[in-house]
Amino acid sequence: MKILAMGDTVEQILHGANLARYASGVEAVVSCGDLPFEYLEYVVTFSGAPLYYVRGNHDPEEPKAPEGCVPLDGRVVDIGGVVLAGLSGSRWYSGGPNQYTERAMRRRGRALSARVALGRLRGKKAPDVFVTHSPPLGLGDREDVAHTGFETFLGLIDRHDPPLWLHGHVHLYGPEAWEARETRRGSTRVVNVYGHRILEVPGGVGVDSGPPRRKDE
């Protein structure tokens, strides 16, 4: 499955007349947070693909939400044979929206892990892709308190061994940006989608290009 993953900054190529052509063949769009909801609504409308999102620390809290887009926070969602799981938020550093202490994120991670395990007992697939705003600890994060990753994400990687982990939050600039974009833990590829990336995810049987349809596990 071909997916468009994006986060943290609006890019003109995804917000102009060439979007449909540029995103040709994309079957799903994934937002890793900190993008204006109007931008998400534009992309889901003109890309022709369903859009799934987590919230970043600069996004508003519920109930405000982008129209026509499917929330992933705390959910496991099957999109045409590719399974996504998501967690919103960054580390707590200023008391703003969508910020969590390590302890709070650990509780949220355990709840998501339990949902994955229940799905497996019911014969459903484990997630192919985890989608978060913040990175896992030590995998593409920074040393300042606002951009330190979550240790509990390492446990999720070790427990569920997803092929792909997507995050944003850490802005990439300069000549080192490409090298800093990807890291690994075991067999899991960890990708910072700052700006955007178009990625191939193994599996999938096609996604309806009409209004997003959700299948929560």
Side-chain angles (χ1 to χ4, degrees):
M1 178 180 287
K2 187 176 182 181
I3 65 171
L4 167 62
M6 56 189 192
D8 299 282
T9 186
V10 173
E11 294 194 311
Q12 189 57 42
I13 196 168
L14 302 181
H15 201 258
N18 294 325
L19 172 60
R21 178 168 56 84
Y22 182 76
S24 177
V26 166
E27 296 177 79
V29 181
V30 173
S31 170
C32 289
D34 279 358
L35 290 171
F37 285 175
E38 294 83 2
Y39 180 55
L40 300 187
E41 292 165 358
Y42 181 94
V43 171
V44 75
T45 300
F46 290 99
S47 69
L51 189 151
Y52 305 84
Y53 71 97
V54 295
R55 295 175 191 257
N57 52 297
H58 295 297
D59 290 324
E61 295 178 291
E62 295 185 42
K64 188 173 182 180
E67 293 187 10
C69 303
V70 181
L72 275 178
D73 183 43
R75 291 174 170 168
V76 183
V77 181
D78 187 323
I79 56 170
V82 169
V83 180
L84 308 179
L87 286 168
S88 297
S90 76
R91 280 221 179 232
W92 188 95
Y93 64 95
S94 69
N98 309 309
Q99 296 179 23
Y100 300 93
T101 63
E102 180 69 47
R103 182 177 181 181
M105 186 60 77
R106 187 179 302 115
R107 289 196 298 268
R108 303 179 80 245
R110 286 172 177 168
L112 179 60
S113 189
R115 179 166 287 187
V116 171
L118 180 60
R120 296 301 303 278
L121 288 173
R122 294 174 174 173
K124 298 179 181 180
K125 285 180 62 180
D128 301 289
V129 186
F130 274 78
V131 180
T132 58
H133 179 61
S134 289
L137 182 67
L139 297 176
D141 60 350
R142 298 275 170 81
E143 294 183 358
D144 63 290
V145 64
H147 295 93
T148 301
F150 285 105
E151 184 176 8
T152 193
F153 291 171
L154 300 178
L156 290 173
I157 292 174
D158 294 343
R159 191 173 304 117
H160 301 294
D161 194 28
L164 188 61
W165 187 293
L166 304 179
H167 72 87
H169 191 49
V170 177
H171 293 208
L172 300 175
Y173 304 107
E176 296 82 20
W178 186 257
E179 292 183 3
R181 189 177 281 277
E182 294 199 19
T183 52
R184 298 191 74 91
R185 183 174 175 91
S187 61
T188 299
R189 180 184 177 198
V190 180
V191 182
N192 183 340
V193 303
Y194 175 75
H196 80 280
R197 289 292 305 276
I198 293 179
L199 301 160
E200 292 284 348
V201 181
V205 294
V207 179
D208 188 350
S209 61
R213 298 185 298 176
R214 183 171 70 219
K215 182 183 178 182
D216 292 344
E217 293 189 345

